[in-house]
Amino acid sequence: MLLYFDLGLLPAIASALGIALMFVLSMYIWPQTFDRNHPTCVKQRIVSALLVTLISPLSLTLLGSLSSNPDHNLLSWTGFRDPLSAIIPLTLTIILFLGPLFQCYTIGENILADYDTYSDILLIRNLVVAPITEEIVFRGCLTPVLFNTLGWTKTVLLQPLFFGVAHLHHGVST
């Protein structure tokens, strides 16, 4: 039974790579006149991330139409089969991030110290926009593309590699 859709190995890898590259390259369509933490640059990158987050699921619709399993819809491909399918992962992610926050609190470390200069926009980018858009693009859109071709184990191992490679640009743009 196909849970998502089967593209074949090379088309699945190429599609996943295309989605990941679209996410990263969208950050560089703007003129690079400021560093990445300047409010203007942050706002431009937020717009880019939100646009790619809207476009990536639409690419699943196109890929799904090429598949041998057109029975599913976009919501089921991205993991929203019922309300619990969205609530449980979000709750687990919150619990995951509460650990380091609690640790910082107990040792008296100020976790907001890095946000002194442009606090509001950096907080929005780092704590709201980036996690949500990255989860939708890198987990919600790459899972359907890779799963039927690679299986759960390889998909779970390969997704973080796409995510990590997509963040290599931080070493260049800092």
Side-chain angles (χ1 to χ4, degrees), residues 5 19 22 51-65 74 77-78 136 141:
F5 42 84
I19 291 170
M22 182 172 52
L51 286 174
V52 171
T53 302
L54 293 174
I55 292 169
S56 295
L58 296 177
S59 68
L60 290 182
T61 304
L62 174 66
L63 292 170
S65 69
L74 182 60
W77 285 331
T78 53
I136 291 171
C141 294

Side-chain angles (χ1 to χ4, degrees), residues 24-32 45 48 169-170 172-173:
V24 174
L25 294 177
S26 74
M27 305 296 164
Y28 294 97
I29 61 171
W30 306 98
Q32 301 294 310
R45 288 181 172 202
S48 293
H169 70 101
H170 288 297
V172 175
S173 65

Side-chain angles (χ1 to χ4, degrees), residues 12-170:
I13 298 291
S15 299
L17 185 61
I19 291 170
L21 283 173
M22 182 172 52
F23 189 85
V24 174
L25 294 177
S26 74
M27 305 296 164
Y28 294 97
I29 61 171
W30 306 98
Q32 301 294 310
T33 53
F34 304 107
D35 89 331
R36 63 184 294 266
N37 290 327
H38 188 278
T40 301
C41 187
V42 171
K43 289 174 189 173
Q44 291 169 340
R45 288 181 172 202
I46 286 173
V47 168
S48 293
L50 291 173
L51 286 174
V52 171
T53 302
L54 293 174
I55 292 169
S56 295
L58 296 177
S59 68
L60 290 182
T61 304
L62 174 66
L63 292 170
S65 69
L66 303 173
S67 161
S68 57
N69 188 23
D71 297 334
H72 293 287
N73 60 35
L74 182 60
L75 286 176
S76 68
W77 285 331
T78 53
F80 295 104
R81 288 177 188 82
D82 57 57
L84 282 179
S85 67
I87 293 169
I88 291 173
L90 288 173
T91 303
L92 292 174
T93 303
I94 291 168
I95 291 169
L96 176 70
F97 282 99
L98 282 178
L101 292 175
F102 182 73
Q103 180 183 9
C104 289
Y105 174 76
T106 57
I107 62 174
E109 185 178 326
N110 181 5
I111 60 171
L112 299 178
D114 293 338
Y115 298 104
D116 289 339
T117 310
Y118 308 116
S119 62
D120 292 341
I121 195 71
L122 288 178
L123 282 171
I124 291 168
R125 178 193 68 188
N126 293 350
L127 301 178
V128 179
V129 176
I132 291 171
T133 58
E134 289 173 351
E135 282 298 314
I136 291 171
V137 171
F138 288 96
R139 192 170 319 268
C141 294
L142 294 188
T143 298
V145 170
L146 298 171
F147 172 71
N148 276 347
T149 303
L150 300 175
W152 277 121
T153 304
K154 291 178 185 172
T155 298
V156 168
L157 293 175
L158 196 58
Q159 277 179 326
L161 292 177
F162 279 107
F163 183 78
V165 169
H167 285 78
L168 288 175
H169 70 101
H170 288 297

